[in-house]
Amino acid sequence: MESQSNVTLKSRVEGTTTIIWIIPEGTLVQPPVASQIDGEVVAIRDEGKKKKTILVRGSDGKTVAHPVKMGEYTVVLVKKGDQVTAGQYLAGDLCVQLDSSELEEREKQQQISVTRAKADLEKAQKDVELKRTQMESEIASAQLAYELAQLDLENYTSGEYQQQVDEIKGRILVAQQELNQALEDYEFVKRVAKKGYKSQKELETARIAVVKAQNTLETEKGRLRVLEEFTYKRTLKEYTENAAEAKRQLERARLRRDAEMAQVVAEFEARKLMYQLELDKLKRYQQQIEACRMIAPQAGQVVYANQTYRRSQPEVIEAGTVVRENQEIIKLPDFSQMKVDARIHESKISDLRPGLPALIRIDAFPDRVFHGVVDTVSSVPLPGRWPNFDLKEYEASIRITDDTTQIEQLKPGLTANVEIIIDQREGVLQVPVQAIVTVGDLHFAYVLTEKGPERRRIKIGDTNDTHMEILDGLTEGEEVILNPRTKFAAEIAELEAKFGKPKEEKVPAVPPGKPGKVGGHAGPTVPGKAGRAARPPRKGVGAAGGPRPGAAGPGRAGRGGRKGPQGARIPRAKKRGPAPGVGPAGGRPKSKPGHPARRGGGNAA
């Protein structure tokens, strides 16, 4: 059992320091009052001995009142005119006051160093500005030449070149049309000449006109190709180089400016860095002084973080004790928020998820049951403990959800047993796992009928350590035989030879019955009564009597139930009984802390 909100106050002062004052152990402290907005503290009003009000005005002019309940150890941390941020403490209970006299003296000396560094920085900044203005004219001239070169380049690529292309394409279009006309005339003259209406001379003239039109078209296409592949590239390269050269001239002007300003800029950067170093050092001293006053960050009860070592004297927290940096001084457990840290075995971790309900029984309150919910589940196993270093367990945190008045009665360190409810189902037909025979992918059960034992092929569902859900093949009230391998070994061997090697059956060992005769002869097959069981049969024990060790006996087929902490499903009854093999009906099933079962019928825990 631990507090869900457990805050530890540690020394944040560098090196070592001394506790000047500390709040008495066992004192109940209240949570601090934090500013709700960014703004300025405009007033601190006294409203009696037990109450004050701090007014903070935001940048929008809105004023927010922060009431402070003044306790015996409550202190106001701000004063009128202070600038505060949202979340900053305005008042709270003082828990520890550390010695800050040496830090305060260092802060005063550092304040002087910061003032000098700031004056040097301002002078260096003015020198830089003066030098920069002297170089503006040269850079402006170079900038103008570069922009004009850019305009020439854009004019050619976006206007002049496209205009030339359009002119040539226009001539190509006209030449194409003239070629088409010449071809038509040639074809016409050719047809008429065959009929004798045109002479060969006229036909030759038409052919020459076609050739001329083709040459004109090819010439214009050649001009377009030369423009696109050669003239354009040459002209573009010329304009591009002009623009690049103008840009390089501009860069050279800037480099000359930078070279002349290098000395003043370097001086400015050095002064700036020096000022920042001095300012950071001052802020660090101020933070260290603030860390000497430790305010309770939440409500809780003060517990001193005394530490004991084997080979040295124990460290006792009290006024006058010298503490080191990061040493724990006070712990503030919040008793209104408690949790249980449980260790879950790796075989059950897959069934666990945040949000599952849980029942919690605490040894200090044996007659009460607390309620909770799974809050977090670790994704990595905990380290093994002696002697089982190979044991893989995962930590799960169960948050207690009862009323605050009940939770506040609990204390850290109490031992608790947790029953986590995985699933709840009603009307589940189930039989003891000892009644099932698995052969390959098939499952069989032996049912005791009026004609004798009858083998049936069944379909199973979910299972746990004691019972298995039946989906098909059996009906409620039928009697099944437990451990049929001892009675029907030959028949089962034939099934295994026919359907293949059986899967490894994970069946719990049958608890031994009454001692048998020397020699270990198997006892008789005893059927159990059919119907809904008020409680499930014990492992390997029939309803009418338990078989001797190694005997095959029948179990019950029943419906409903809860799955116990180790996966045992417990049938529903008018009186809630314990898990199989635990005890008589009427009590709640015992469970191991934090061991959930696989999903199954009924309440699975």
Side-chain angles (χ1 to χ4, degrees), residues 15 25 45 132 143-144 162 201 338 484 486 496 559 585:
E25 189 173 16
R45 298 176 182 174
R132 180 178 292 111
Q143 181 71 32
L144 178 60
Q162 189 62 40
K201 183 178 180 180
M338 300 296 287
T486 60
E496 292 176 351
R559 287 190 177 272

Side-chain angles (χ1 to χ4, degrees), residues 102-347:
E102 184 178 353
L103 291 172
E104 292 173 354
E105 183 64 26
R106 293 180 182 177
E107 182 196 14
K108 294 177 182 179
Q109 297 295 329
Q110 187 60 29
Q111 193 69 257
I112 298 174
S113 300
V114 169
T115 303
R116 292 175 178 173
K118 184 177 181 181
D120 294 339
L121 175 63
E122 292 175 352
K123 181 180 181 300
Q125 185 176 7
K126 292 179 180 179
D127 293 340
V128 171
E129 292 298 328
L130 180 61
K131 194 65 176 178
R132 180 178 292 111
T133 56
Q134 295 176 356
M135 302 298 299
E136 292 299 327
S137 298
E138 182 180 350
I139 294 178
S141 299
Q143 181 71 32
L144 178 60
Y146 171 66
E147 291 177 356
L148 293 176
Q150 286 288 106
L151 289 175
D152 292 341
L153 176 62
E154 292 178 3
N155 177 52
Y156 178 74
T157 56
S158 302
E160 184 178 351
Y161 166 70
Q162 189 62 40
Q163 184 179 2
Q164 295 175 357
V165 171
D166 292 340
E167 291 178 357
I168 296 176
K169 286 184 177 180
R171 292 196 295 268
I172 291 175
L173 180 61
V174 172
Q176 182 66 50
Q177 292 176 351
E178 291 177 351
L179 175 62
N180 293 339
Q181 183 64 42
L183 288 173
E184 291 179 0
D185 294 344
Y186 174 71
E187 291 296 331
F188 174 76
V189 173
K190 186 177 180 180
R191 289 195 303 272
V192 173
K194 289 181 179 181
K195 296 179 180 180
Y197 297 106
K198 292 289 184 179
S199 64
Q200 291 295 326
K201 183 178 180 180
E202 291 175 331
L203 178 62
E204 184 65 18
T205 302
R207 186 187 66 79
I208 293 173
V210 170
V211 174
K212 178 185 280 189
Q214 289 177 342
N215 292 337
T216 302
L217 178 61
E218 292 298 328
T219 300
E220 295 300 330
K221 288 183 178 180
R223 289 177 181 176
L224 179 61
R225 181 177 60 83
V226 170
L227 176 63
E228 291 177 343
E229 296 182 3
F230 301 102
T231 306
Y232 170 73
K233 293 181 180 179
R234 180 188 179 283
T235 307
L236 179 63
K237 184 67 173 178
E238 181 180 355
Y239 283 124
T240 302
E241 287 300 324
N242 291 339
E245 179 60 25
K247 184 177 181 180
R248 285 192 290 269
Q249 291 179 0
L250 176 61
E251 292 297 331
R252 285 193 291 269
R254 290 173 177 173
L255 290 175
R256 285 194 297 270
R257 178 198 60 184
D258 294 340
E260 294 178 6
M261 292 183 61
Q263 184 175 359
V264 292
V265 170
E267 182 67 19
F268 169 74
E269 293 296 334
R271 295 299 180 183
K272 183 179 179 180
L273 180 59
M274 182 63 67
Y275 171 71
Q276 188 63 45
L277 291 175
E278 298 293 346
L279 187 61
D280 291 343
K281 192 174 182 180
L282 176 62
K283 291 181 179 179
R284 187 168 66 252
Y285 283 142
Q286 293 173 345
Q287 292 173 354
Q288 291 289 290
I289 293 173
E290 183 180 354
C292 290
R293 186 167 56 175
M294 305 175 69
I295 304 299
Q298 69 171 28
Q301 187 175 20
V302 175
V303 178
Y304 290 172
N306 298 317
Q307 298 182 5
T308 302
Y309 301 97
R310 290 184 178 181
R311 299 182 180 180
S312 62
Q313 295 294 329
E315 293 183 351
V316 179
I317 301 300
E318 60 184 1
T321 299
V322 177
V323 293
R324 62 186 179 278
E325 185 179 2
N326 289 328
Q327 180 178 343
E328 297 181 356
I329 300 178
I330 285 178
K331 294 183 179 180
L332 290 176
D334 184 2
F335 294 149
S336 64
Q337 303 179 46
M338 300 296 287
K339 66 176 181 177
V340 178
D341 292 331
R343 301 173 73 96
I344 311 299
H345 191 267
E346 61 179 335
S347 62

